[in-house]
Each structure stands twice: as structure tokens, then as C-alpha cells.
Amino acid sequence: MLRLERVSAGYGRVTILHGISIEVGQGEVVTIVGANGAGKTTTLRTIAGLVRPTEGSITFEGKDIGRLPAHEVVDLGITLIPEGRQLFPYMTVRENLLMGAYTPRARAEADQTLQFAFSLFPRVKEKLDQHAGSLSGGEQQMVAIARGLMAKPKLLLFDEPSLGLAPIIVKQVFETIDKIVATGVTVLIVEQNVFHTLSIADRGYVLENGEITMTDTGAALLKNDHVRRAYLGI
Amino acid sequence: MNDGKLAAFGLDKRGAILVALLLAAILAIPLGVRSDFVFHIFITICLYGALSTAWNIVGGFAGQLSLGHAIFYGLGAYTAGLLVPYGISPWFGMFAGAALSAVVAVLISVPCFRLRGPFFALATIAFLEVVFQLALHFKGITGGAVGLMVPLQIGWEWMIFREREPSLLIAFGLLLLTLLVAGWIRHSRFGYYLIATREREPAAQAAGIDSLKVRLWAVAISAALTSMVGTFHGMYLTFIEPEAMFSLTLSIQIAMFALIGGIGTVLGPLLGTLLVVPLTELARGWLGASAIGLHGFIYGTVLVLIVLFMPDGLVGFFTRKTHPRPDEAAAQPGALQASAGALVHDPAEPEEARTIGEPILVAEKLNKAFGGLRVAQDLDLTVQQGEVLGIIGPNGAGKTTLFNMLSGFLPPDSGVVRVRDRNGQWVTPGSPHEFARIGVGRTFQIVQPFAAMTVLENIMVGAFHHHAGRKEAREKALEVAERMGLWAQRDMEARNLTIGGQKRLEVARVMATEPRILLLDEVMAGLNQTDIRQAITLIEKIRDAGVTVIAIEHVMQAIMALSDRVVVLNSARLLANGKPEDVVRDPAVIEAYLGEEFVHAAA
Amino acid sequence: MTVFWQLVLNGLMLGGLFAIISVGLTLIFGIIRLVNFAHGELLMVGMYATFLLTTQLGVHPYALAPPVVLLLFVVGVLIQRFILQPLLEARDHHVQIFATVGLSTALINLALLLFGADIHSTPAYGARTALSFGPFRILTGHVVMFVAGILVVGGLHLFLQRTYLGRAIRATAQHRHAAQLMGIDINRIYIITFGIGAACVGLAATLVAPMYPVSPTVGTYFVLTAFVVVVLGGMGSLHGAFIGALIIGLVDSLSGYYIAPDLKEVVIFAIFLLILLVRPTGLFGLGRGSE
């Protein structure tokens, strides 16, 4: 479904990704793990069209998307739920969700999608008329995910969905991701919460200093000594 | 001038000859041609060149876009003009006006420097309008809209002449004076401080720079010079009116010339003037004097084109054309070996038995909240002299917030940070530069290079802290560059370094301030294995030289290798504190990092 | 007392005029984060267009609102697309300031070249006729401006709150990266926003033209006041601009009478500096004014 081949990318003169190759199949849950600064976020931003790859190719459903601007990538069905939520703070929750369905394709089905989002996040329905900026971190993350769903994505990219959340909320977030996966959406997820992600992922990639150093099934990586050392020095 | 003096103005021999030829031409052409029109053009060039060069000290070096500089120009003209009827020479008035302008400039700037970018520009316009309206209102002093005639007393004493030559000489003298001042500033400690403050104010403060103070000095000098030119121009015109003296158009023009020539460079403003003034005079010649508005139209259009296509101005355009990009020069093979070599044959410090001594930094009950979000809750921390303290914790735990409080960048809501100074007294510094001065140095998680400076110049900003002279600072910076493995890249522009290089530069700059306590914020994030090993060696050396190190780090390998002690932050609180090997086995710590389930899975 | 209330009335009417000029300025700042130093010159362009069309065609200036608004929209779109958009990612703020300052200088002097420094009066077609309300008198044109000011601010507010495009504009202002992730083409949003901001000035120009003579520097006079209004109301806030405009209108009218006519600008700029320095977010700013 999504294929990155020898992709290099960075900001200005600084190259962050050095020729990484990643594949995500239809219906899979794939994760990228790696230390801070390894280039995980850059990978997702490059797929989403926010960062231009300097080398290599990115194809989605057979179409080359490496040169497309971000808003056209969204239209094709790839949605990034960014690190730190990035809600529109002075808009109501309802407006945030409507913005999620901005593309013509998603706008036509906005009402149905909204009902689906409410079924996943009953709490969000209660907060519809509040400003997004006034919600708690956990609620904001729920809105961010719901907003991402509003775009009717085929491929959802999650960037650190558990960042800055209390453990109990993290658990809820991952349960939600499970439910989303169950509806047939393909997921690529980047997380520092290694255990959670690897345990729900079909496959994982280990990214170190902008290079893929290892790839295996989620379960195998979870037992891997190298992964454990890289994460806690044990 | 000998080479040393030339170097103080940043010139080599060839550059010096070119500048001398340029200046000689400005003087020689009108004296040779001797037509009134040519005199007029060159006097105009000298005046605008001088005004623009003076403006550039604030607008360029300090990066504060004043669009109200006519205030000082007008003050200079009015001060001298009003003193003449009392029999006081405008030469005296020139200095009186300069002093007055400097004071006014500082009074205006103290509040305005809190504003940034367009808001600062708007505030300076507003001040100019207020002064202009007041000048119109107080007719008794200023002559109001009618203006004032300066009594026609001829001679050097009164700065008014029948011939054009003396006026040209004075205008040229003013141009020379402003160029010398600007050139001296640019290449002295003061200039480095100004540019560092402009580029990255936090990093400048961390290098011990009192950013407000250097900016105020810059604005005072700039205003005084502008005022002196204003005095002369008032005498040259022999007529002073608020409309011409406190003019927004003039303020914009002098800023414009600097931008066209190359903002922030010494010669840029003059070059901009040399391009635009003759161009407009020629165009006026072709289209006739009736073409009112033509010069302004050309100014505006040239400015827009320059901004779009040559944002570094004429100077930037030509230096780029004639010099190879520094990174190309440094990217040659061998650069890497050289830097590795520098690390190897580094003169080894005598290895002393390291003793961890008395407390040197104490934080008590630090609390901080942003809005409803608590980012620090009752944090207590004692740091011993000579130890390496590692700080770890998940993203968002409040590590950088803690650093910001330990270095004066963020005042805690409650609680206190105390540092033991060189004489053993406990003090609580009040601002980032005071922390730096007492010996607390820090790096920033998001690297903050002074992008427009070379690597060496970046390090010199730190070195100036203990070495006021440019030469001494340069030597110190060279020494630090070598120790930090930045020798091969020393003449590169900082923005062109690799991420690893920028991290090393970040450490190098703070090491050049010779800190006693060093706060390192994720200096290893994003580095590859080789770089990480180098960084560990580097920090060991720093530690062995007697510097106390506090390091926020995610690279566990480095934390384990370096730290004498580790504290763990989680959700704004201190979660654990102890020996590194104990801390990582603490179940609470593992949970904070990997999630609860991992504890069971690992068990 | 009659004098006082007449002055208040004048002030409010003047406020309507300031509001309609300021609203485009605050919109452009709020969305694009750009301080448009050439805003006054857009007004000047609109006023010359109105003056020329009215005198040449003999049409009521108000009837020229549609073509002038459209003209300014196009001018705004072109400025954003070809001058400002290439500078959006620039390292320094100063290039954007200089681009609009340069544009302003070029436009003022172009007008000087084309029309000379003299002032030209647009035929008023009754806009300068006074209406009497008991002891009070107001000019018809001022009432029109006041009503138009309310309509424009209200209309823009509804547009931004209720339409998809309006929401996309707000979303872009609040988080430009997130807006891209929603599928919003932010460059297009910026171009449209600048166009709308300029179009507001176009409408203002047709309403101002019959009331005030046009000259190359007419924009400078009005836009300095507009900056005060916008900073007072809070950069980027529409209703802030409206209330700020009314306040400045009142200050202008009252201080001109009770202090001195030639010092009213000093009072206005003193308020401006006070707000910038003490509360840079203005009365209704969202805490982002000092960016």
C-alpha cells in the first residue's frame, strides 16, 4: 500500500533520514521505534508531504506521492495525527472535527463519519461546543484522533499518541487504536511507549540515526535484546 | 595603517585598498568635475551614506528595525539651529544635539526593545509621529509648519559656506566617521555581542551578554551619529522645518539604502546609497525635474526587487559570487581526519584524582505552572562540585523546564536557585546573563547557533566573556575549537554545520565562557554512534578539568558511562535519585519509560 | 452638553470609517501574521480609482463599490502571490516589513508621478449633505460609513464562523501545520485572505472618496490611525478592531475639541504607544500580539 524506497530527507542542509526503505501493507499495523532524534517524526512528516524527500521515492497505492504538497496527500487518503495533538485551540471541538473533513471526498460523508467518531469517543460528543484549547491532554488526544478519522483515511499515521499523557489515558488511546484497526484502516505508528506499540503491531522497524537497522514482527522485536538495550540500557 | 589595525576593521590589504579607492573617488570626482550638480549629488551620497551607516548600527547589527530615526536627525538640526541665534557655533550644537539624541534614544528604546519585528517598527513610527506633531504644535520653538531660517553667517565657525567644497569635506568627514565607528563596532567585542543578541537572544544571554545593555549602547551611538549628520544638513540647507526634519519618508529611505546595500554589513549602507542615489538623479535628468515622485518610485521598486531576489543586498550578492561557499571548502576529504586528529593529539590534562566536593548549586522547592499545566512540582536538587549529574525522564517530564530555572531563563513561581560563586558566597542570580557570569553555562536542546557567524566567531562570543580583546578571544576560541573537534570547520558558517557539528558548537561556545557548572541539554540527541563516543570523551575531559556537569540525556549508554548520579523526572516531579545502575533497575523508572506492562514482561 | 453629544456622535461616525479601513488590516495580520505597511496605499489606489471612474463616467461613487472592491481583491491577490508569498518562509521578519514598506513607497510615488501632489475631490452626490436629528447634525456619508462598517465586520464574522472556507482561514491562522494536515492549501488561504483584506479597503475607498479629497499620501494619514485601532483592539481580532475604531473615533473627536485640534494625533499615538508597551495584546487580543 505504502512503500518508501531509499528515502533521504531533512531540513535545510541538515539531512535526517539517510535512505530508509519502509513498506506498509493493506490492513497492517506497522510501527517505527527509535530514540529521540532518530528521525521518526521526520519519516512521518515526509510521508505526509510536509517535508520534501531529497532522494528516493514514496508510492501510495501505486502512485508516486513524493513530490505532492501536504494537502494533496490528505486527499489521497493519508492522514497524519501529529505529535502534540496540534488542535485548533480557539475553535470548538465540533469545528475541529469539521476541519478534519475538509477535503471534498470527506466532506460529503462528514455526518456519517461524525457518528462513527462519536461511537469511538463518547466523551468527545459531550464536549462539542467547548474550545479545543480548554480540554485536558487526554481529551485533546481523543479529539485529535477523531479529527484524523474525519478525513476518511485509508492510512493513518500516528506520531507519539501517548506523549505527555497519564498511564490510564495511554491505555485508552491504545484501545481506541485497536478499534480503528479493526475497521480496516491501515496504521503506521511512531511511539516511545515501546511495549504498547510493539504488542499491537504486526511488524516493526528500528530507526537509528536516520537509518533502518532492524525489522521484524512486533512480537519478535519485543523480545529483542538490542531493542531493550537501546531503550533503557538494560 | 599596519595589518593589525586593518584586521581590527575586518579588512585584509586588498580590501583596504578597495575601500580607500572607493572613498577617494567619492571625494575626488566632485572636486575634479566642479559642477554644482555633481557637488550636490556627492554631498547627498555622503549624507545618506552616513545616515544609513549610522542607522545600520541599530537596524543591522542589533537587528532592531527603527523607522523613526528622523527623530535624531531632526533633533540634531534643531539643537544646533536654535543655538546659532545665541551666538553658539553649530560645531558645539552638533555635539549637544548628539548627546540629547543619545539620551532620547535610550529613553524611547528601554520600553520599545521589548517589542519584536514589525511591532518595534510601528512603535518607532509612532514616536516619530508624536515628535513631529509636537514640533508642529510648539511654533514658538520650532517655527511650526513655517520652519526656521538659520541666520546666514558664513565661515567654518558657522558651518555655512559660499563655496561647495567645505560642505563636501564636512559631509565626507561625517561619512568617514560613521564608517569608522561602524567598522570598529562590527569587529569588536561589542559588535559580536550585538550580532549574537540579534541572532539568538537566549544563546547570547547564556554566553553572559546583557542583551538590553548592548542594544541600548547601540541605539545611543547610532542616534548620536544620526544627529550629527542632521546638524550638518540643517546648516547646509540653512532652513529647518518639522516636515523635512522629522520625516517618515527620510526614516524609511535610510533604512532602505542599508537593506539594498546589505543590512548588517559595514559597507552595505554606503554601497546601497551609491547605487540608488545616482540612479535616481540620472533618471531625473532623463525625465526632467517635473517627474516628481520618480525617485521615491525607484527607491520603492528597487527595495521590493532586492528583498525578493537579493535578500542579502549588494554586499551579500557580491561576496557570494567571489568567494567559494565555506562549506564547499570544508567538505573536502581530509576535513574529517583533521578533526579526529585534533582530538587525538589534544594535550592531555594532568589526570588528578577527581574529588566530588561541596555543594555548588542548590535548588529548593521549585514550582512552575504554565496556565493550568504544572511543569515543576516541589523540585529539590543539590549538585556537588565536580560531579556529573544525569537527568533523565520521559518526554514532557519537565527536564528542560528545570534547566531553564537553573540558568535564569525561567523564573520559578516559587522556590529558589542558589549558586556558590568563586569566592564561596551563595548567591541567587536574577537573569540569564548573571547566571552565566557567575559561571553557570548551558546549551540548548534545540541548537542555537548564531547563524550569520562563522564557527570560530560563534565560539568567540563565548570567549569574549573572559577576554575583552579580539585577539585574545580569537586565540581562546581557536584553542576551544581544536579541543572540541571543530578545527577543520572553524571558518564555516555555523548554519552549514551537520547536526553533530552544531551540537559540538553549542558546547564549544559555552566552554569558551569557562563555566564552573555546565548544563548540557540533550547534546547527544540525533548523533550517530561515532559522534556519541566522541561526545562522551569530550564530557569526560570537561569533567576532568574540574567543571561540574549536569546533563539531560536520552542516550542511556552515555548517561550510564558518565554520570556519578542520576535523577529521574516524571510528570514534573522527582521520581528517583541515586547511582545510575540502581536507578535503571527501579521499577518505577522502568514504568515511567516503557509502560507498566513492560515491568511485568521484563520480570 | 449639546456640543459634547454632537462630538460623541461625530466620533462614533468617524469610528465607523476607521473600522472599515482597519478590518482588512487586522484580518491580514491575524491570518497571515503579516503587518501590511502598504495597507494605506491600497486605500489610496481605491480612492483614485473611485475618483477617476466617478469623474469620467459620472457615476455615483457608491455605485462603484463592486468594481473597485473587485479591483482591490485582484491587486491584493497579486501582491500576496508574487511579492509576499515567496517571503513567507524567510528567516527574518525584516524582509516582509521591507517588502510592504517598499511597496508603499513605490505606490505613493507612482501616484505622485501620475496625478501630481495636488488633492482631488471626488463629486459627493449628496454624501456631504447634513441630516438633522433634533439639535444634532450628521453627514449622510458618515451614516453610510458607519452602517457599512457594522455590516462589513458582521459579514466577515459570519463568513469566518459559518463557512468551510472561513473556518479553513481560521484554522490556518491557529495552526498552519495542522491546517495542512487537514488538506488545506495554506498558500491559497493566504492569497484569498490578502485579497479579502484588500477588498475591504476597496469598499472603504468608495465610501471615503466622496467625503475626503484624495492625494498620494492620503493612505498614510488613515493607515497610521488604522494601526492604532488594530493594536488597541488586539491584532487579528475583528470585533476588537470595531470597538477599537469607535474608541479612537471618540478620542479623535473629543481631544480635537477639548485639547487642541493639532494635538489630537499626539493623544492618539500616545494611546498607541501605551497599549503597545503595556498591553501589546490589545483589548481583545488572543495573547499573541508580541510575536
Side-chain angles (χ1 to χ4, degrees):
Chain A
M1 185 180 205
L2 176 79
R3 173 174 295 166
L4 280 72
E5 274 181 83
R6 292 187 302 283
V7 169
S8 298
Y11 305 92
R13 288 163 184 278
V14 183
T15 304
I16 310 268
L17 301 179
H18 306 278
I20 63 166
S21 298
I22 288 175
E23 231 175 287
V24 182
Q26 177 84 46
E28 266 193 314
V29 178
V30 175
T31 181
I32 303 174
V33 298
N36 264 8
K40 300 180 304 250
T41 295
T42 308
T43 308
L44 295 190
R45 289 172 59 88
T46 308
I47 297 169
L50 292 169
V51 177
R52 278 277 157 91
T54 49
E55 278 169 51
S57 71
I58 306 175
T59 49
F60 179 67
E61 297 186 320
K63 189 172 187 295
D64 184 1
I65 60 164
R67 303 269 164 264
L68 292 186
H71 61 271
E72 290 183 30
V73 175
V74 178
D75 215 15
L76 290 176
I78 300 180
T79 295
L80 170 63
I81 296 175
E83 181 179 347
R85 276 84 76 178
Q86 302 195 359
L87 297 180
F88 305 114
Y90 304 105
M91 293 174 108
T92 62
V93 169
R94 187 196 305 275
E95 286 177 315
N96 267 277
L97 295 178
L98 286 177
M99 289 324 297
Y102 183 76
T103 61
R105 189 173 56 87
R107 207 182 296 181
E109 300 176 47
D111 287 338
Q112 290 152 272
T113 326
L114 202 57
Q115 295 311 316
F116 171 64
F118 289 158
S119 72
L120 281 181
F121 305 104
R123 299 261 299 154
V124 167
K125 197 176 177 179
E126 297 161 21
K127 308 270 178 179
L128 274 181
D129 293 315
Q130 287 192 24
H131 273 187
S134 67
L135 303 181
S136 73
E139 290 166 342
Q140 288 196 10
Q141 186 63 61
M142 300 295 174
V143 175
I145 297 175
R147 187 181 64 174
L149 288 175
M150 291 299 292
K152 305 255 8 160
K154 299 172 196 163
L155 171 64
L156 255 184
L157 312 174
F158 283 95
D159 194 356
E160 304 269 6
S162 78
L163 186 71
L165 300 182
I168 176 102
I169 310 285
V170 174
K171 214 166 180 172
Q172 291 174 16
V173 168
F174 278 95
E175 283 165 12
T176 320
I177 295 176
D178 273 337
K179 285 186 202 158
I180 294 170
V181 170
T183 66
V185 177
T186 309
V187 168
L188 176 60
I189 183 167
V190 152
E191 247 300 338
Q192 57 172 337
N193 195 318
V194 185
F195 178 83
H196 265 128
T197 25
L198 285 176
S199 58
I200 65 166
D202 298 316
R203 289 188 303 113
Y205 291 87
V206 178
L207 185 64
E208 289 179 345
N209 305 302
E211 289 170 35
I212 299 288
T213 54
M214 199 186 298
T215 173
D216 209 328
T217 63
L221 285 177
L222 199 52
K223 295 196 179 71
N224 185 288
D225 278 348
H226 179 83
V227 173
R228 299 171 62 128
R229 243 199 330 274
Y231 274 84
L232 218 94
I234 48 177
Chain B
M1 247 197 257
N2 62 32
D3 288 0
K5 281 202 183 123
L6 287 178
F9 292 97
L11 291 170
D12 55 14
K13 268 221 169 88
R14 191 167 140 262
I17 291 170
L18 282 176
V19 173
L21 282 177
L22 181 73
L23 291 173
I26 291 176
L27 201 54
I29 292 173
L31 290 176
V33 178
R34 310 198 70 80
S35 93
D36 263 8
F37 180 62
V38 173
F39 267 121
H40 165 72
I41 290 186
F42 278 83
I43 290 175
T44 309
I45 287 176
C46 288
L47 283 174
Y48 278 110
L51 286 173
S52 190
T53 305
W55 176 87
N56 193 41
I57 293 171
V58 169
F61 298 164
Q64 297 284 343
L65 287 193
S66 159
L67 293 180
H69 251 52
I71 294 176
F72 315 122
Y73 167 85
L75 280 179
Y78 265 111
T79 308
L82 291 173
L83 289 176
V84 168
Y86 297 96
I88 299 171
S89 160
W91 291 100
F92 175 83
M94 183 182 258
F95 288 97
L100 177 65
S101 293
V103 171
V104 170
V106 168
L107 291 179
I108 290 178
S109 301
V110 166
C112 285
F113 277 163
R114 283 189 294 154
L115 302 168
R116 290 285 167 266
F119 295 94
F120 179 82
L122 279 175
T124 56
I125 292 178
F127 267 112
L128 177 61
E129 284 301 313
V130 168
V131 171
F132 171 54
Q133 296 293 342
L134 289 175
L136 279 182
H137 181 75
F138 291 102
K139 299 183 182 68
I141 304 170
T142 63
V146 183
L148 281 181
M149 294 298 294
V150 179
L152 276 180
Q153 304 169 86
I154 310 290
W156 276 94
E157 190 190 349
W158 300 106
M159 223 187 270
I160 297 173
F161 312 94
R162 283 206 179 77
E163 311 78 31
R164 296 284 195 150
E165 288 92 341
S167 294
L168 177 71
L169 286 178
I170 296 174
F172 183 77
L174 286 168
L175 173 64
L176 209 57
L177 173 71
T178 53
L179 282 175
L180 283 173
V181 171
W184 172 80
I185 288 178
R186 173 64 185 82
H187 298 285
S188 69
R189 166 159 91 165
F190 177 42
Y192 278 74
Y193 277 9
L194 278 177
I195 290 169
T197 303
R198 175 190 78 195
E199 294 284 313
R200 302 271 182 174
E201 192 168 352
Q205 291 171 326
I209 299 171
D210 185 341
S211 49
L212 178 63
K213 197 170 126 193
V214 294
R215 280 190 178 139
L216 288 179
W217 271 108
V219 80
I221 293 171
S222 172
L225 289 171
T226 305
S227 170
M228 290 170 77
V229 181
T231 301
F232 166 74
H233 205 192
M235 297 303 119
Y236 179 69
L237 299 170
T238 66
F239 175 65
I240 307 172
E241 55 165 349
E243 177 96 43
M245 290 300 137
F246 299 112
S247 143
L248 178 58
T249 313
L250 176 81
S251 300
I252 291 175
Q253 263 174 26
I254 58 183
M256 222 179 238
F257 290 157
L259 190 91
I260 290 170
I263 194 167
T265 61
V266 176
L267 287 175
L270 176 60
L271 292 181
T273 314
L274 277 172
L275 172 78
V276 183
V277 170
L279 191 69
T280 48
E281 294 297 338
L282 283 177
R284 194 178 299 184
W286 292 329
L287 293 174
S290 63
I292 166 179
L294 181 71
H295 66 283
F297 180 65
I298 294 179
Y299 292 163
T301 311
V302 170
L303 183 65
V304 172
L305 292 176
I306 290 270
V307 163
L308 281 175
F309 300 109
M310 288 162 56
D312 294 325
L314 297 172
V315 172
F317 186 71
F318 286 118
T319 47
R320 189 153 305 164
K321 278 277 149 82
T322 50
H323 295 295
R325 299 284 299 168
D327 54 337
E328 287 160 17
Q332 286 156 8
L336 253 180
Q337 281 104 317
S339 97
L343 266 179
V344 174
H345 67 68
D346 183 63
E349 305 269 343
E351 185 84 23
E352 289 168 27
R354 211 158 51 84
T355 50
I356 292 175
E358 300 285 291
I360 188 167
L361 182 147
V362 173
E364 282 166 19
K365 293 246 173 297
L366 295 181
N367 279 289
K368 185 77 197 175
F370 294 123
L373 184 66
R374 302 197 66 172
V375 286
Q377 290 192 41
D378 292 331
L379 294 180
D380 286 313
L381 193 68
T382 302
V383 185
Q384 257 85 29
Q385 176 145 23
E387 79 172 327
V388 176
L389 175 68
I391 299 181
I392 61 172
N395 278 347
K399 303 184 297 285
T400 296
T401 304
L402 173 63
F403 256 32
N404 285 342
M405 291 191 285
L406 294 185
S407 54
F409 279 86
L410 196 63
D413 294 339
S414 67
V416 66
V417 176
R418 275 195 278 269
V419 184
R420 198 151 51 86
D421 70 10
R422 287 184 172 79
N423 307 321
Q425 301 297 313
W426 286 94
V427 290
T428 297
S431 63
H433 71 264
E434 284 175 20
F435 269 93
R437 282 182 191 175
I438 205 160
V440 180
R442 71 164 293 179
T443 68
F444 292 87
Q445 183 185 0
I446 296 164
V447 287
Q448 303 225 347
F450 305 127
M453 292 183 175
T454 68
V455 167
L456 191 66
E457 287 172 328
N458 264 272
I459 305 175
M460 281 171 73
V461 171
F464 276 124
H465 188 48
H466 283 296
H467 308 274
R470 186 163 176 270
K471 208 172 145 203
E472 298 78 38
R474 195 181 145 81
E475 273 162 22
K476 172 76 188 171
L478 282 170
E479 177 202 320
V480 174
E482 188 180 4
R483 258 199 297 151
M484 297 289 157
L486 287 165
W487 182 260
Q489 295 93 331
R490 64 189 181 281
D491 292 324
M492 273 171 77
E493 273 187 58
R495 61 173 143 238
N496 295 332
L497 283 175
T498 61
I499 189 76
Q502 295 200 352
K503 296 262 180 189
R504 260 177 297 162
L505 177 58
E506 193 76 19
V507 181
R509 190 175 58 213
V510 61
M511 283 313 290
T513 68
E514 298 167 42
R516 297 180 304 133
I517 305 170
L518 179 61
L519 310 184
L520 299 173
D521 195 350
E522 293 202 32
V523 287
M524 298 186 200
L527 300 191
N528 59 38
Q529 282 299 316
T530 324
D531 282 347
I532 286 177
R533 275 192 292 275
Q534 276 191 19
I536 292 175
T537 319
L538 202 70
I539 295 171
E540 281 170 350
K541 274 192 209 156
I542 292 169
R543 172 197 69 192
D544 293 342
V547 178
T548 309
V549 177
I550 311 175
I552 295 177
E553 202 50 75
H554 274 294
V555 178
M556 290 306 297
Q557 165 202 0
I559 283 289
M560 301 299 287
L562 282 169
S563 308
D564 299 304
R565 190 158 64 94
V566 171
V567 299
V568 185
L569 287 187
N570 189 35
S571 305
R573 289 174 184 280
L574 217 60
L575 184 69
N577 177 0
K579 287 207 169 109
E581 52 273 28
D582 298 339
V583 165
V584 292
R585 292 210 184 84
D586 187 334
V589 175
I590 298 176
E591 188 191 332
Y593 257 99
L594 293 186
E596 191 183 343
E597 290 85 344
F598 203 93
V599 184
H600 310 308
Chain C
M1 262 335 250
T2 312
V3 173
F4 175 77
W5 289 111
Q6 176 70 50
L7 289 170
V8 167
L9 204 56
N10 291 353
L12 290 177
M13 294 300 128
L14 199 58
L17 162 66
F18 291 153
I20 204 168
I21 298 174
S22 310
V23 75
L25 191 64
T26 206
L27 187 73
I28 290 171
F29 176 79
I31 311 299
I32 315 178
R33 308 263 117 195
L34 181 112
V35 176
N36 178 19
F37 285 88
H39 203 71
E41 283 55 58
L42 295 176
L43 179 75
M44 183 264 292
V45 168
M47 285 177 74
Y48 270 110
T50 310
F51 163 72
L52 287 176
L53 289 171
T54 304
T55 47
Q56 299 295 314
L57 305 176
V59 187
H60 194 292
Y62 293 166
L64 291 168
V68 174
V69 165
L70 187 67
L71 171 77
L72 266 291
F73 180 81
V74 172
V75 169
V77 162
L78 293 177
I79 291 174
Q80 174 65 25
R81 173 64 190 83
F82 293 104
I83 298 182
L84 299 175
Q85 187 173 308
L87 303 176
L88 272 181
E89 300 298 325
R91 231 174 342 115
D92 295 320
H93 264 303
H94 76 239
V95 296
Q96 295 171 16
I97 300 175
F98 272 113
T100 54
V101 166
L103 192 63
S104 149
T105 308
L107 286 174
I108 290 177
N109 288 285
L110 185 64
L112 263 175
L113 268 171
L114 296 177
F115 306 107
D118 298 340
I119 59 171
H120 297 282
S121 293
T122 310
Y125 290 96
R128 283 199 286 262
T129 317
L131 300 172
S132 295
F133 297 95
F136 304 117
R137 289 161 58 80
I138 325 175
L139 297 182
T140 318
H142 278 145
V143 178
V144 172
M145 278 194 281
F146 186 76
V147 173
I150 293 174
L151 290 179
V152 167
V153 172
L156 269 180
H157 179 79
L158 285 178
F159 166 69
L160 290 175
Q161 295 293 331
R162 298 287 164 82
T163 66
Y164 251 99
L165 181 61
R167 288 197 193 104
I169 289 176
R170 280 161 62 218
T172 304
Q174 292 177 21
H175 207 307
R176 63 167 88 169
H177 291 308
Q180 284 176 288
L181 294 176
M182 303 300 109
I184 297 170
D185 180 352
I186 59 168
N187 281 327
R188 188 169 150 263
I189 293 290
Y190 289 150
I191 289 171
I192 292 173
T193 304
F194 204 101
I196 294 174
C200 289
V201 187
L203 178 62
T206 58
L207 302 181
V208 174
M211 311 300 294
Y212 297 85
V214 58
S215 71
T217 52
V218 68
T220 317
Y221 169 73
F222 281 111
V223 84
L224 284 176
T225 314
F227 272 122
V228 180
V229 165
V230 167
V231 167
L232 177 66
M235 278 272 193
S237 163
L238 286 184
H239 63 287
F242 187 72
I243 294 170
L246 295 186
I247 294 175
I248 293 301
L250 288 173
V251 169
D252 187 292
S253 167
L254 294 173
S255 65
Y257 183 82
Y258 290 107
I259 300 177
D262 60 341
L263 283 185
K264 64 185 184 187
E265 281 182 59
V266 174
V267 176
I268 289 173
F269 283 113
I271 293 176
F272 179 60
L273 288 167
L274 206 67
I275 290 281
L276 265 184
L277 301 173
V278 177
R279 192 179 157 84
T281 54
L283 299 177
F284 301 94
L286 295 171
R288 305 176 293 187
S290 48
E291 266 177 39

